[in-house]
Amino acid sequence: GAGVSQSPRYKVAKRGQDVALRCDPISGHVSLFWYQQALGQGPEFLTYFQNEAQLDKSGLPSDRFFAERPEGSVSTLKIQRTQQEDSAVYLCASSLGSGTGGFGQYFGPGTRLTVT
Amino acid sequence: QKEVEQNSGPLSVPEGAIASLNCTYSDRVSQSFFWYRQYSGKSPELIMSIYSNGDKEDGRFTAQLNKASQYVSLLIRDSQPSDSATYLCAVNMGGGSNYKLTFGKGTLLTVNP
């Protein structure tokens, strides 16, 4: 079946611009996660949705970062007034389970954001 | 600070050998453990999950978990050049309903033909 999809795959933004990154999870997956991966590092957690509810946003680096999943499927990560330190790969993952964990997370191809 | 530690490598093994990748974690109540493979320029791919102490085998891969020692490992038997990638250890820390994954920095594995 279809995996997690993300768009755009690559985004170049000038410092100060706003960007929106889209994630389409695996059909039927309740949980959706956003991670940020810097070069040479493991992914770092940003935020977690269970259906349309954002249950954890503790990893968002600043109030310039905002995520939503209004209908419990597609999610958008928005970054306002981009800064150079926002340059990274943004990964979306989805998972069948919810609540108690124990289910693997499946990643999309990522969006590589470069802020110039 | 909840942490997952891995040797960054690179780990180099000859084709056909066993590759052993190790990971330690700081949170004693962690319940779920995962290994991901990440090829250069690609996203992480889930290859193994383990939840109970002991060994779990899937094809050429074996995951080993020792919760008392807070240690999880991945063995790759009969290593192939196509196994060359970065292997990420990920832990669902905090137990219970804490669902986010904490990743190590990954170990770069090179399998030489």
Side-chain angles (χ1 to χ4, degrees):
Chain A
V4 179
S5 61
Q6 292 186 246
S7 62
R9 293 291 310 278
Y10 304 91
K11 177 70 178 177
V12 178
K14 292 187 176 179
R15 189 166 61 92
Q17 282 186 330
D18 298 348
V19 298
L21 313 180
R22 176 190 168 104
C23 172
D24 203 335
I26 295 171
S27 178
H29 277 198
V30 170
S31 296
L32 185 146
F33 304 81
W34 285 97
Y35 292 85
Q36 180 190 62
Q37 188 173 25
L39 192 64
Q41 304 292 316
E44 293 197 355
F45 170 80
L46 294 177
T47 188
Y48 159 50
F49 290 86
Q50 182 178 317
N51 296 306
E52 69 278 4
Q54 189 175 22
L55 298 187
D56 189 340
K57 55 181 181 179
S58 62
L60 295 177
S62 75
D63 58 8
R64 297 186 294 105
F65 287 70
F66 171 76
E68 61 183 4
R69 192 185 185 198
E71 297 179 357
S73 56
V74 170
S75 177
T76 303
L77 177 67
K78 298 179 179 178
I79 308 173
Q80 297 177 323
R81 304 181 304 280
T82 51
Q83 304 294 314
Q84 283 193 316
E85 61 263 30
D86 300 335
S87 295
V89 176
Y90 290 86
L91 294 164
C92 176
S94 70
S95 178
L96 182 61
S98 64
T100 56
F103 293 88
Q105 297 179 21
Y106 298 88
F107 284 85
T111 296
R112 181 177 297 277
L113 173 65
T114 302
V115 181
T116 61
Chain B
Q1 180 79 2
K2 297 180 179 178
E3 294 182 340
V4 176
E5 299 286 342
Q6 296 181 255
N7 289 329
S8 60
L11 173 65
S12 183
V13 301
E15 185 174 355
I18 296 174
S20 178
L21 304 159
N22 305 314
C23 171
T24 59
Y25 58 95
S26 62
D27 190 348
R28 184 170 294 276
V29 302
S30 299
Q31 298 289 334
S32 307
F33 307 85
F34 305 90
W35 284 98
Y36 286 82
R37 178 175 63 198
Q38 187 171 28
Y39 292 114
S40 180
K42 302 295 186 183
S43 62
E45 174 193 8
L46 179 64
I47 54 172
M48 287 289 287
S49 60
I50 187 166
Y51 310 110
S52 303
N53 280 328
D55 295 359
K56 179 181 178 183
E57 187 174 318
D58 184 0
R60 295 187 296 113
F61 298 101
T62 299
Q64 300 174 316
L65 175 61
N66 183 327
K67 289 185 179 180
S69 299
Q70 295 174 235
Y71 176 89
V72 58
S73 65
L74 178 70
L75 301 178
I76 307 174
R77 290 182 301 281
D78 188 24
S79 295
Q80 301 297 308
S82 58
D83 295 327
S84 298
T86 295
Y87 288 80
L88 296 163
C89 174
V91 180
N92 175 209
M93 290 193 169
S97 60
N98 186 0
Y99 205 24
K100 60 189 175 187
L101 292 178
T102 300
F103 284 83
K105 292 184 178 180
T107 298
L108 177 61
L109 172 66
T110 301
V111 180
N112 302 304

